[in-house]
Amino acid sequence: MRLDQLTVKISTQLLQAGITENDLESQLLIRKALNISKESYFADLQTDISQVEIKNINRLVERRINREPLPYICNHREFYGLDLYVDRRVLIPRQETEIMVDKAIGFLKSTPYKNQKIKILDLCTGSGAIAITLAKLFPESIIYATDISSDALQVAKINCFAHNVSRDVNLICLDGLSGFVGEVDLILANPPYLSKKEIGEVQPELLFEPDLALYGGLEGWEKTVQLINSVCEILNGGGKAFFETSPERIDSITSKISNNKNIDTLEYHLDGLGNNRLIEISV
Ligand SMILES: C[S@@+](CC[C@H](N)C(=O)[O-])C[C@H]1O[C@@H](n2cnc3c(N)ncnc32)[C@H](O)[C@@H]1O
């Protein structure tokens, strides 16, 4: 069978399995299995594919039909223009999270830290997406990236190495902030926020992501509230913390942290769909 014919066949199989970006995914799965670039793929469309190659491709297609997310199968996700390695040890970084990075960049550019290194904490780092993006953009800063999952930190380590920031990003295995020593100027966090009920109702792809990255507590807001209260203890005056959460959690979180005397102001930012998703905390 020729490559173009195989592409159409797989695309149809994916569509029948309910996968709507079937044409693109068909191409990406084939390229992953054959380990070829986009250019080689298009150059080879008329080429015959061997039985061994077809078997390898079908193995990946099977995984996708079973609803394993494409980034896990291809071990790749783009975040803020960076190519990241991902596997089932980490949450697949989401595009919404780039909004938090944008806000952090705005803060860093407007902050007069001219003669002193700014300290940044990426709390709940997962793949290291946020920490690595900031390390590339602000090489003079000191960056900590923490996570409770040592498995996730292994993936973050791979990404730090691939992006040449292993010396700039300090990876630390911590439960929340217990044991974190020192103070920082900026904190970014995308903690897990699904409730117990929501975990039971998620789309099949989400079930492949780590429980630790999804489950935020019985009501979903618990982990975020606990972390917000603890970050206020380590944030320098004039510093900021950004927390991404679900729009459904914003009101509960706001009411639970309203009596925190360390918080000076709270602001909210919208996601691409016009929902409040990001909490900006000033102390
Ligand atoms: C939603 S993922 C976010 C990953 C990454 N920051 C991103 O935006 O793609 C949440 C991460 O929080 C970590 N986590 C969960 N509970 C934690 C805790 N108590 N302390 C530190 N990290 C925790 C999980 O292991 C997971 O990597």
Side-chain angles (χ1 to χ4, degrees), residues 245-280:
T245 189
S246 143
E248 287 81 36
R249 298 286 103 83
I250 292 268
D251 289 346
S252 312
I253 293 170
T254 302
S255 79
K256 302 287 172 198
I257 59 174
S258 60
N259 57 359
N260 185 324
K261 301 267 184 304
N262 292 321
I263 296 177
D264 189 13
T265 56
L266 284 177
E267 276 181 67
Y268 302 92
H269 301 284
L270 304 177
D271 62 17
L273 297 173
N275 298 312
N276 272 332
R277 182 175 286 279
L278 187 61
I279 307 174
E280 177 177 336

Short mmCIF file of all heavy atoms in Angstrom, two decimals, residues 245-280:
data_model
loop_
_atom_site.label_atom_id
_atom_site.label_comp_id
_atom_site.label_asym_id
_atom_site.label_seq_id
_atom_site.Cartn_x
_atom_site.Cartn_y
_atom_site.Cartn_z
N THR A 245 -7.12 28.32 37.26
CA THR A 245 -8.09 27.35 37.77
C THR A 245 -9.24 27.23 36.78
O THR A 245 -9.22 27.80 35.71
CB THR A 245 -8.57 27.74 39.18
OG1 THR A 245 -9.36 26.65 39.70
CG2 THR A 245 -9.40 29.01 39.19
N SER A 246 -10.24 26.45 37.18
CA SER A 246 -11.41 26.32 36.32
C SER A 246 -12.35 27.50 36.59
O SER A 246 -12.50 27.90 37.75
CB SER A 246 -12.09 24.99 36.66
OG SER A 246 -13.47 25.10 36.59
N PRO A 247 -13.01 28.04 35.56
CA PRO A 247 -13.95 29.14 35.79
C PRO A 247 -15.01 28.78 36.83
O PRO A 247 -15.47 29.63 37.59
CB PRO A 247 -14.60 29.35 34.41
CG PRO A 247 -13.58 28.84 33.44
CD PRO A 247 -12.87 27.71 34.14
N GLU A 248 -15.35 27.51 36.93
CA GLU A 248 -16.38 27.07 37.91
C GLU A 248 -15.87 27.15 39.34
O GLU A 248 -16.65 27.08 40.28
CB GLU A 248 -16.81 25.62 37.64
CG GLU A 248 -17.68 25.41 36.41
CD GLU A 248 -16.86 25.34 35.13
OE1 GLU A 248 -15.73 24.80 35.18
OE2 GLU A 248 -17.34 25.85 34.10
N ARG A 249 -14.56 27.24 39.53
CA ARG A 249 -13.98 27.21 40.88
C ARG A 249 -13.72 28.62 41.43
O ARG A 249 -13.47 28.79 42.62
CB ARG A 249 -12.62 26.48 40.89
CG ARG A 249 -12.61 25.04 40.49
CD ARG A 249 -13.19 24.15 41.56
NE ARG A 249 -14.53 23.76 41.19
CZ ARG A 249 -14.83 22.76 40.36
NH1 ARG A 249 -13.91 22.00 39.90
NH2 ARG A 249 -16.09 22.50 40.06
N ILE A 250 -13.76 29.64 40.54
CA ILE A 250 -13.29 30.98 40.93
C ILE A 250 -14.05 31.50 42.16
O ILE A 250 -13.44 32.00 43.10
CB ILE A 250 -13.45 31.97 39.75
CG1 ILE A 250 -12.48 31.61 38.63
CG2 ILE A 250 -13.29 33.40 40.21
CD1 ILE A 250 -11.13 32.27 38.65
N ASP A 251 -15.37 31.39 42.17
CA ASP A 251 -16.14 31.97 43.29
C ASP A 251 -15.82 31.27 44.60
O ASP A 251 -15.63 31.94 45.63
CB ASP A 251 -17.65 31.88 43.00
CG ASP A 251 -18.05 32.85 41.89
OD1 ASP A 251 -17.23 33.74 41.57
OD2 ASP A 251 -19.15 32.69 41.33
N SER A 252 -15.76 29.95 44.58
CA SER A 252 -15.46 29.22 45.84
C SER A 252 -14.09 29.60 46.35
O SER A 252 -13.90 29.86 47.54
CB SER A 252 -15.47 27.71 45.63
OG SER A 252 -16.59 27.31 44.94
N ILE A 253 -13.12 29.65 45.43
CA ILE A 253 -11.74 29.97 45.86
C ILE A 253 -11.70 31.38 46.45
O ILE A 253 -11.14 31.60 47.53
CB ILE A 253 -10.76 29.84 44.67
CG1 ILE A 253 -10.66 28.37 44.24
CG2 ILE A 253 -9.38 30.39 45.02
CD1 ILE A 253 -9.92 28.12 42.92
N THR A 254 -12.36 32.33 45.77
CA THR A 254 -12.36 33.71 46.25
C THR A 254 -12.94 33.79 47.65
O THR A 254 -12.38 34.45 48.54
CB THR A 254 -13.17 34.62 45.29
OG1 THR A 254 -12.59 34.50 44.00
CG2 THR A 254 -13.13 36.06 45.73
N SER A 255 -14.06 33.12 47.88
CA SER A 255 -14.67 33.23 49.21
C SER A 255 -13.79 32.55 50.28
O SER A 255 -13.69 33.04 51.39
CB SER A 255 -16.10 32.69 49.20
OG SER A 255 -16.07 31.30 49.27
N LYS A 256 -13.10 31.48 49.92
CA LYS A 256 -12.29 30.77 50.92
C LYS A 256 -11.01 31.54 51.28
O LYS A 256 -10.45 31.33 52.34
CB LYS A 256 -11.86 29.38 50.40
CG LYS A 256 -13.00 28.48 50.04
CD LYS A 256 -13.73 27.96 51.24
CE LYS A 256 -14.98 27.24 50.79
NZ LYS A 256 -15.98 27.04 51.82
N ILE A 257 -10.52 32.39 50.36
CA ILE A 257 -9.27 33.11 50.69
C ILE A 257 -9.54 34.56 51.12
O ILE A 257 -8.62 35.32 51.37
CB ILE A 257 -8.27 33.11 49.49
CG1 ILE A 257 -8.88 33.77 48.25
CG2 ILE A 257 -7.80 31.71 49.18
CD1 ILE A 257 -7.90 33.94 47.09
N SER A 258 -10.85 34.91 51.22
CA SER A 258 -11.19 36.32 51.47
C SER A 258 -10.68 36.81 52.84
O SER A 258 -10.48 38.00 53.02
CB SER A 258 -12.69 36.53 51.36
OG SER A 258 -13.32 35.72 52.30
N ASN A 259 -10.48 35.88 53.79
CA ASN A 259 -10.01 36.35 55.11
C ASN A 259 -8.49 36.25 55.26
O ASN A 259 -7.97 36.40 56.35
CB ASN A 259 -10.71 35.56 56.23
CG ASN A 259 -10.49 34.08 56.09
OD1 ASN A 259 -9.82 33.66 55.13
ND2 ASN A 259 -11.02 33.29 57.00
N ASN A 260 -7.79 36.03 54.14
CA ASN A 260 -6.32 35.96 54.22
C ASN A 260 -5.75 37.39 54.26
O ASN A 260 -5.81 38.13 53.27
CB ASN A 260 -5.78 35.21 52.99
CG ASN A 260 -4.28 34.99 53.07
OD1 ASN A 260 -3.55 35.84 53.57
ND2 ASN A 260 -3.83 33.86 52.58
N LYS A 261 -5.20 37.75 55.43
CA LYS A 261 -4.75 39.13 55.66
C LYS A 261 -3.49 39.47 54.84
O LYS A 261 -3.17 40.64 54.66
CB LYS A 261 -4.42 39.33 57.15
CG LYS A 261 -5.58 39.07 58.10
CD LYS A 261 -6.33 40.36 58.38
CE LYS A 261 -7.45 40.22 59.40
NZ LYS A 261 -8.44 39.23 59.07
N ASN A 262 -2.78 38.44 54.36
CA ASN A 262 -1.56 38.72 53.58
C ASN A 262 -1.85 39.20 52.17
O ASN A 262 -0.98 39.74 51.49
CB ASN A 262 -0.70 37.45 53.48
CG ASN A 262 -0.13 37.06 54.82
OD1 ASN A 262 0.27 37.92 55.59
ND2 ASN A 262 -0.11 35.77 55.10
N ILE A 263 -3.08 38.96 51.71
CA ILE A 263 -3.40 39.33 50.33
C ILE A 263 -3.79 40.80 50.26
O ILE A 263 -4.67 41.26 51.00
CB ILE A 263 -4.55 38.44 49.78
CG1 ILE A 263 -4.07 36.98 49.71
CG2 ILE A 263 -5.00 38.93 48.40
CD1 ILE A 263 -5.14 36.00 49.26
N ASP A 264 -3.10 41.51 49.36
CA ASP A 264 -3.40 42.93 49.20
C ASP A 264 -4.56 43.10 48.22
O ASP A 264 -5.61 43.64 48.56
CB ASP A 264 -2.12 43.62 48.70
CG ASP A 264 -2.24 45.12 48.70
OD1 ASP A 264 -3.21 45.62 49.31
OD2 ASP A 264 -1.39 45.79 48.08
N THR A 265 -4.35 42.61 46.98
CA THR A 265 -5.44 42.70 45.99
C THR A 265 -5.56 41.39 45.21
O THR A 265 -4.60 40.64 45.07
CB THR A 265 -5.19 43.82 44.96
OG1 THR A 265 -3.92 43.59 44.35
CG2 THR A 265 -5.22 45.19 45.57
N LEU A 266 -6.77 41.20 44.69
CA LEU A 266 -7.05 40.06 43.81
C LEU A 266 -7.57 40.60 42.50
O LEU A 266 -8.41 41.50 42.49
CB LEU A 266 -8.17 39.19 44.40
CG LEU A 266 -7.86 38.27 45.57
CD1 LEU A 266 -9.14 37.57 46.01
CD2 LEU A 266 -6.82 37.23 45.19
N GLU A 267 -7.06 40.06 41.40
CA GLU A 267 -7.62 40.43 40.09
C GLU A 267 -7.89 39.14 39.33
O GLU A 267 -7.27 38.10 39.61
CB GLU A 267 -6.58 41.22 39.28
CG GLU A 267 -6.54 42.69 39.60
CD GLU A 267 -5.48 43.38 38.73
OE1 GLU A 267 -5.68 43.44 37.50
OE2 GLU A 267 -4.48 43.80 39.30
N TYR A 268 -8.78 39.25 38.36
CA TYR A 268 -9.13 38.05 37.59
C TYR A 268 -8.88 38.32 36.11
O TYR A 268 -9.08 39.43 35.63
CB TYR A 268 -10.61 37.68 37.83
CG TYR A 268 -10.88 37.46 39.29
CD1 TYR A 268 -11.31 38.50 40.10
CD2 TYR A 268 -10.64 36.22 39.87
CE1 TYR A 268 -11.51 38.31 41.46
CE2 TYR A 268 -10.85 36.01 41.23
CZ TYR A 268 -11.28 37.07 42.02
OH TYR A 268 -11.47 36.88 43.36
N HIS A 269 -8.50 37.27 35.39
CA HIS A 269 -8.26 37.42 33.96
C HIS A 269 -9.03 36.35 33.20
O HIS A 269 -9.21 35.22 33.69
CB HIS A 269 -6.76 37.32 33.65
CG HIS A 269 -5.96 38.35 34.37
ND1 HIS A 269 -5.92 39.67 33.97
CD2 HIS A 269 -5.19 38.27 35.48
CE1 HIS A 269 -5.14 40.36 34.81
NE2 HIS A 269 -4.69 39.52 35.73
N LEU A 270 -9.43 36.72 31.98
CA LEU A 270 -10.26 35.83 31.17
C LEU A 270 -9.42 34.87 30.34
O LEU A 270 -8.29 35.19 29.95
CB LEU A 270 -11.11 36.67 30.21
CG LEU A 270 -12.00 37.75 30.83
CD1 LEU A 270 -12.72 38.53 29.73
CD2 LEU A 270 -13.01 37.12 31.78
N ASP A 271 -10.01 33.72 30.03
CA ASP A 271 -9.37 32.83 29.06
C ASP A 271 -9.88 33.18 27.66
O ASP A 271 -10.66 34.13 27.48
CB ASP A 271 -9.61 31.35 29.42
CG ASP A 271 -11.08 30.97 29.40
OD1 ASP A 271 -11.90 31.73 28.82
OD2 ASP A 271 -11.43 29.92 29.96
N GLY A 272 -9.48 32.41 26.67
CA GLY A 272 -9.85 32.70 25.28
C GLY A 272 -11.35 32.60 25.03
O GLY A 272 -11.85 33.12 24.03
N LEU A 273 -12.06 31.93 25.93
CA LEU A 273 -13.52 31.80 25.76
C LEU A 273 -14.29 32.86 26.55
O LEU A 273 -15.51 32.83 26.63
CB LEU A 273 -13.98 30.39 26.20
CG LEU A 273 -13.41 29.22 25.40
CD1 LEU A 273 -13.79 27.90 26.05
CD2 LEU A 273 -13.91 29.28 23.96
N GLY A 274 -13.54 33.77 27.16
CA GLY A 274 -14.20 34.86 27.89
C GLY A 274 -14.60 34.48 29.31
O GLY A 274 -15.42 35.17 29.94
N ASN A 275 -14.03 33.40 29.85
CA ASN A 275 -14.34 33.00 31.23
C ASN A 275 -13.19 33.35 32.16
O ASN A 275 -12.02 33.23 31.77
CB ASN A 275 -14.56 31.47 31.30
CG ASN A 275 -15.73 31.04 30.45
OD1 ASN A 275 -16.80 31.62 30.50
ND2 ASN A 275 -15.50 30.02 29.63
N ASN A 276 -13.53 33.73 33.40
CA ASN A 276 -12.49 33.99 34.39
C ASN A 276 -11.75 32.70 34.70
O ASN A 276 -12.35 31.72 35.14
CB ASN A 276 -13.12 34.47 35.71
CG ASN A 276 -13.30 35.97 35.72
OD1 ASN A 276 -12.55 36.68 35.06
ND2 ASN A 276 -14.28 36.45 36.45
N ARG A 277 -10.45 32.69 34.45
CA ARG A 277 -9.70 31.45 34.66
C ARG A 277 -8.42 31.68 35.48
O ARG A 277 -7.87 30.75 36.04
CB ARG A 277 -9.31 30.86 33.29
CG ARG A 277 -8.57 29.55 33.37
CD ARG A 277 -8.34 28.97 32.02
NE ARG A 277 -9.55 28.42 31.44
CZ ARG A 277 -10.04 27.21 31.74
NH1 ARG A 277 -9.43 26.44 32.61
NH2 ARG A 277 -11.14 26.79 31.17
N LEU A 278 -8.00 32.94 35.51
CA LEU A 278 -6.71 33.24 36.13
C LEU A 278 -6.90 34.20 37.30
O LEU A 278 -7.56 35.23 37.15
CB LEU A 278 -5.81 33.87 35.05
CG LEU A 278 -4.37 34.11 35.39
CD1 LEU A 278 -3.66 32.81 35.72
CD2 LEU A 278 -3.67 34.76 34.18
N ILE A 279 -6.30 33.85 38.45
CA ILE A 279 -6.37 34.73 39.62
C ILE A 279 -4.99 35.35 39.82
O ILE A 279 -3.99 34.62 39.87
CB ILE A 279 -6.75 33.93 40.89
CG1 ILE A 279 -8.03 33.12 40.66
CG2 ILE A 279 -6.91 34.86 42.09
CD1 ILE A 279 -8.40 32.20 41.82
N GLU A 280 -4.97 36.67 39.92
CA GLU A 280 -3.70 37.38 40.15
C GLU A 280 -3.72 37.91 41.57
O GLU A 280 -4.63 38.65 41.96
CB GLU A 280 -3.59 38.55 39.14
CG GLU A 280 -2.36 39.38 39.34
CD GLU A 280 -2.24 40.49 38.27
OE1 GLU A 280 -2.81 40.36 37.16
OE2 GLU A 280 -1.59 41.51 38.59
#
